[in-house]
Amino acid sequence: MLVLLGFSPEMGSNRGQAVNDVVKVYGPGGPFGPIKEVAERFTQETGIKVEVTAGPEEKWIDQAKQDADIIYGGSEYMLTEFMYDHPEVLDGKNRTELYARSAGILVRKGNPKNIRSLEDLTKKGVKIVDVNGAGQLGLWEDLAGRKGLIPGISRNIDISVKSSAEAIDLWKANSELDAWITYESWHYRLADVTDLVQLPEEDKLYRGTPISITSKSGNKKKAKQFIDYLKTEESNQVFQKWGWK
């Protein structure tokens, strides 16, 4: 997780003014890669600085309540939950959708269990890590349910965690975990420790990447400028490189 922090307004009038010149963006780790890359391009082209803080919500929510200009989500329901939990931060009036990303299966390098499909995840001896949150709530069940595989996959879920950060730590620490049903995009962040099994198009599920300007942002004009930039064809190509549609 990379966290880029700015000055606090309480650090003096000159520095407080500097904060107003920085667009502060907060959200989960999943979309961090493309959003950070686009932010760097945006800064180069416009001179407007964008600072992105990413990771599990509990790591940044206190700071975000003070200075966030933009909040993004790892799925539509995720940003809606944030809006319900923190109505003083986000009211959803300036909410927009960026790009969708597909679910896939991450496996060990070399795919030693020869996992090629959802059906293979029901085989005896396959151990699955499940993220029961972080934009992935119910993801495996929606995929499995259409093919009658819920009992078999449920039986092979070895451990469930709340965040992708926890799943990554487990994946790196426990080589006995064989598979993780998650977004294809995570493979591009974990290419050194995973292979990606893509699902056939008819089996794929897509979830969105919403983004919204905060209610109390003092930087609404620049924040909107950055979101508009995220919606350009050039930015879409960056997201596609990271596994989005």
Side-chain angles (χ1 to χ4, degrees):
M1 179 183 75
L2 176 59
V3 178
L4 308 173
L5 299 177
F7 293 108
S8 167
E10 290 78 18
M11 292 176 69
S13 58
N14 290 336
R15 289 182 174 179
Q17 183 62 40
V19 169
N20 292 329
D21 294 329
V22 179
V23 177
K24 300 290 188 70
V25 182
Y26 293 85
F32 174 70
I35 289 179
K36 175 179 177 290
E37 183 172 336
V38 172
E40 290 171 348
R41 293 188 181 198
F42 177 77
T43 298
Q44 289 172 359
E45 293 185 20
T46 67
I48 299 171
K49 190 174 182 181
V50 177
E51 293 181 345
V52 185
T53 301
E57 183 182 311
E58 63 270 17
K59 302 291 186 180
W60 49 258
I61 184 59
D62 290 341
Q63 186 66 32
K65 287 179 178 179
Q66 298 178 43
D67 62 12
D69 297 300
I70 292 172
I71 303 290
Y72 65 85
S75 68
E76 288 290 336
Y77 88 79
M78 197 176 184
L79 195 66
T80 299
E81 282 190 343
F82 184 94
M83 186 175 63
Y84 290 156
D85 292 341
H86 309 288
E88 77 283 8
V89 178
L90 207 61
D91 59 19
K93 292 178 181 177
N94 296 296
R95 177 172 176 160
T96 188
E97 164 64 20
L98 295 177
Y99 310 105
R101 54 180 171 161
S102 172
I105 305 169
L106 299 192
V107 297
R108 294 287 168 187
K109 294 294 290 184
N111 197 0
K113 290 291 179 74
N114 195 30
I115 295 166
R116 306 293 177 186
S117 65
L118 288 169
E119 286 83 355
D120 288 339
L121 295 178
T122 68
K123 293 179 179 177
K124 186 177 181 179
V126 172
K127 293 185 177 182
I128 303 168
V129 58
D130 166 48
V131 175
N132 197 43
Q136 296 157 64
L137 186 64
L139 189 62
W140 76 263
E141 187 174 2
D142 288 345
L143 286 163
R146 297 187 304 188
K147 300 175 76 67
L149 300 174
I150 290 176
I153 290 181
S154 176
R155 184 169 55 246
N156 283 347
I157 292 176
D158 189 66
I159 189 166
S160 291
V161 293
K162 289 291 186 181
S163 73
S164 297
E166 292 175 88
I168 291 167
D169 287 344
L170 281 170
W171 187 265
K172 292 180 177 180
N174 183 0
S175 61
E176 292 186 358
L177 293 172
D178 302 304
W180 173 13
I181 301 174
T182 184
Y183 297 112
E184 289 182 358
S185 58
W186 272 113
H187 168 65
Y188 298 90
R189 296 273 297 276
L190 299 167
D192 58 327
V193 291
T194 67
D195 280 346
L196 172 63
V197 177
Q198 292 184 309
L199 300 174
E201 191 60 40
E202 62 269 20
D203 290 343
K204 285 187 177 183
L205 285 177
Y206 290 87
R207 287 187 177 174
T209 310
I211 193 165
S212 182
I213 299 172
T214 60
S215 306
K216 297 180 180 179
S217 170
N219 249 346
K220 283 186 168 65
K221 184 176 180 180
K222 291 177 181 177
K224 184 179 184 303
Q225 190 176 346
F226 177 56
I227 290 176
D228 288 345
Y229 187 84
L230 282 162
K231 295 285 288 181
T232 64
E233 178 59 32
E234 180 184 18
S235 295
N236 182 218
Q237 290 175 8
V238 172
F239 273 81
Q240 288 180 31
K241 183 181 72 174
W242 285 88
W244 270 254
K245 193 172 181 180

